[in-house]
Amino acid sequence: MNIFISGIGGAGMGPLAAVAHQIGHHVVGSDKRASSYIDYLKKHGISDIQIGQTKENIARVHAENPIDWLVYSSAVTLENPDPPELQFARDHGIRVSKRDELLNFILDDKKLEMIAIAGTHGKTTATAMMVFLLQELRQPISYLLPAKTSFADMGKYDPESRWFIYEADEFDRNFLAFHPLVSLVTGVAYDHHEIFPTRDDYRSAFREFIGQSKQTFIWQNDFDDLSLNETEQIRVLDPNEPQIDQMRLIGHYNRLDAWLVAQAVHDITGEPLDKLVEILEKFPGLSRRMEQIAANLYSDYAHTPEKIVGAMSVAREMAAETGQKLVVIYEPLTNRRQTYFLDNYKGVFQGADQLYWLPSYLAREPEDLRIIPPAELIEHLDGETRAIAEPAEMNDSLREKINEHLHRGDLVVAMTGGGGNSLDTWLRQNFSENSQ
């Protein structure tokens, strides 16, 4: 089958393209800009990727090899409700869908059962941990992994596999398209306000997802918050289990994710829990989750209050271990989110000695929404954090301040969820060893 993927460079679409290619489908695609994901796909056999999402480009591809199926990223239609590639596909009778239909087709065609990892925060780390653990157990698996790691490709299809590991994202209600064999819920906190108008709507989506899963592993606090009923299909875990913080992993929330994964794998494989924990204690991490950019300089994907709490739990332990001062640079992800988060930042940066707050990374912003400046967002912090916080921008002044902190031996942690031209990109350009 000839599959055209619009938005192929995205963290969700790129791995899916790789899996479809490995299965034997002819995969082509497009994106609005070049990226490392696209470079990766080209190196792995998907060479025909158009930069620029126009009717002319897709028409050329279709003329050379007729397209059977156009699969598009949710981001494509959020930016333009009637994009030219979809117009072309409809005009030429080409099947059009989002990624969930293609993935369900693959699951049905290859007789694969889904192990899904869902949650507002922690799901990418837990997905990577699941892949790492099952690989270490020599279990044949297929998966999509929307983050770079040292131990796995971004997407893999194994003809011998029974299980398909998937990060089931609630954005655009994607996770409701699936009926997993096993689901893990890493944590639930209201997010994606443009998709879920109310907190109750958000909770309802998670309840529906859990109802579609044959077996779910969930923390007690989320079980209570979602007002779930006790059934044999739901395994409720205690977040205060003493064994969790006995694990040799840095960061309380990393240990929670690892314990959740270990419990699920123990259930589906029968492997001893102690053995699984021992393997997960060797988990090497993944990109943009406390990833080292240079000596004492780290980047983390934290971009909601709950994700920040998790990242801070790791950063505090790292700083305490070495006796360093902790400096945080925060770039909020989307101005839209900040209108909901204004009063949710109180206490989340606890343990930082200095906080630099950058302008929000803008993406898919409502045109009529006022941009909230850093100084105003800082005013909504608790008093202790306000005293150590200051507005900043990605410029020479910030570069000099970071260099001063690094020279003094401070631990500098950037928290940024943006993509191209984000704080993460800027740091890599200015501070990574390759940039020197």
Side-chain angles (χ1 to χ4, degrees):
M1 180 160 50
N2 189 20
I3 301 171
F4 185 101
I5 297 184
S6 178
I8 198 169
M13 303 301 281
L16 180 59
V19 165
H21 173 72
Q22 291 168 30
I23 287 172
H25 298 294
H26 181 244
V27 179
V28 296
S30 69
D31 212 295
K32 63 180 182 180
R33 66 172 64 94
S35 68
S36 58
Y37 270 119
I38 289 175
D39 293 340
Y40 175 93
L41 292 171
K42 287 183 175 181
K43 289 177 183 177
H44 288 76
I46 304 176
S47 57
D48 192 353
I49 298 177
Q50 306 298 311
I51 303 303
Q53 296 170 303
T54 65
K55 279 188 178 180
E56 291 74 21
N57 282 343
I58 193 173
R60 182 195 61 76
V61 171
H62 185 64
E64 292 176 359
N65 193 352
I67 299 166
D68 299 303
W69 194 344
L70 183 147
V71 181
Y72 66 95
S73 164
S74 299
V76 171
T77 50
L78 282 171
E79 292 184 1
N80 179 359
D82 192 22
E85 290 175 331
L86 270 66
Q87 293 176 23
F88 178 89
R90 287 192 297 268
D91 291 344
H92 291 80
I94 299 168
R95 179 178 180 177
V96 175
S97 77
K98 295 182 182 178
R99 58 177 164 153
D100 55 298
E101 284 191 32
L102 176 56
L103 181 50
N104 270 323
F105 171 83
I106 290 170
L107 296 175
D108 292 341
D109 184 51
K110 300 303 177 183
K111 306 296 187 291
L112 296 167
E113 296 185 283
M114 179 179 283
I115 298 175
I117 294 87
T120 317
H121 47 84
K123 57 182 176 289
T124 302
T125 297
T127 303
M129 285 179 169
M130 178 68 73
V131 171
F132 175 76
L133 181 55
L134 291 174
Q135 284 189 160
E136 290 295 299
L137 293 171
R138 302 293 187 265
Q139 293 282 351
I141 55 170
S142 298
Y143 59 81
L144 302 183
L145 189 53
K148 296 174 184 176
T149 71
S150 61
F151 57 85
D153 289 328
M154 62 193 293
K156 179 181 178 181
Y157 169 67
D158 186 333
E160 301 299 318
S161 60
R162 170 193 171 193
W163 298 314
F164 194 97
I165 318 303
Y166 182 62
E167 180 182 318
D169 193 356
E170 76 275 18
F171 180 74
D172 208 18
R173 303 180 187 266
N174 170 266
F175 64 169
L176 297 183
F178 306 103
H179 293 76
L181 173 72
V182 177
S183 292
L184 287 67
V185 179
T186 57
V188 181
Y190 186 34
D191 195 11
H192 298 305
H193 313 87
E194 74 278 31
I195 304 296
F196 304 95
T198 68
R199 187 179 298 272
D200 285 342
D201 190 32
Y202 192 76
R203 290 189 181 115
S204 178
F206 272 90
R207 285 194 292 268
E208 186 176 346
F209 171 72
I210 291 167
Q212 294 175 184
S213 305
K214 292 182 181 177
Q215 180 78 46
T216 298
F217 291 79
I218 189 171
W219 297 108
Q220 181 72 59
N221 51 303
D222 293 316
F223 177 87
D224 295 339
D225 183 61
L226 294 175
S227 302
L228 297 170
N229 297 317
E230 292 187 17
T231 69
E232 293 182 357
Q233 285 72 44
I234 301 178
R235 173 85 179 277
V236 183
L237 304 181
D238 180 5
N240 298 311
E241 164 61 50
Q243 284 181 266
I244 293 172
D245 277 329
Q246 293 172 12
M247 297 178 70
R248 294 188 297 273
L249 277 172
I250 295 178
H252 176 66
Y253 286 86
N254 282 338
R255 295 189 287 270
L256 285 173
D257 289 339
W259 186 253
L260 185 69
V261 169
Q263 291 286 346
V265 173
H266 169 66
D267 187 75
I268 63 179
T269 67
E271 293 282 358
L273 189 59
D274 289 347
K275 175 183 177 180
L276 302 178
V277 168
E278 184 178 350
I279 293 172
L280 284 168
E281 287 176 332
K282 301 172 185 174
F283 177 67
L286 61 160
S287 67
R288 297 193 66 181
R289 272 67 179 179
M290 213 55 70
E291 180 187 0
Q292 187 169 0
I293 303 298
N296 290 326
L297 176 62
Y298 292 80
S299 179
D300 195 276
Y301 193 65
H303 59 272
T304 68
E306 294 76 20
K307 288 182 171 72
I308 293 168
V309 169
M312 287 297 298
S313 78
V314 177
R316 282 195 302 269
E317 289 186 24
M318 291 170 62
E321 191 174 283
T322 54
Q324 294 171 284
K325 288 188 175 181
L326 175 57
V327 177
V328 175
I329 310 168
Y330 179 50
E331 179 187 50
L333 178 58
T334 77
N335 177 69
R336 167 182 40 76
R337 268 194 175 100
Q338 305 322 302
T339 64
Y340 295 91
F341 288 166
L342 276 175
D343 295 311
N344 292 359
Y345 287 113
K346 291 182 173 63
V348 301
F349 293 104
Q350 183 179 5
D353 296 290
Q354 177 71 52
L355 171 63
Y356 298 104
W357 194 298
L358 271 60
S360 298
Y361 182 92
L362 304 180
R364 304 189 302 273
E365 306 289 351
E367 293 182 2
D368 59 345
L369 194 63
R370 182 178 69 90
I371 303 295
I372 306 174
E376 184 176 332
L377 290 165
I378 288 172
E379 286 302 312
H380 287 263
L381 295 170
D382 57 283
E384 185 177 342
T385 309
R386 277 202 309 275
I388 58 142
E390 64 178 83
E393 295 186 12
M394 287 185 286
N395 55 21
D396 290 342
S397 175
L398 180 61
R399 187 184 299 108
E400 290 172 7
K401 288 177 180 178
I402 294 172
N403 277 320
E404 288 173 6
H405 286 295
L406 295 177
H407 182 71
R408 289 198 294 261
D410 298 339
L411 178 66
V412 181
V413 175
M415 300 185 185
T416 164
N421 300 319
S422 67
L423 173 61
D424 178 80
T425 304
W426 185 80
L427 289 172
R428 293 175 194 275
Q429 292 171 344
N430 287 275
F431 292 94
S432 68
E433 292 183 0
N434 293 334
S435 70
Q436 303 304 317

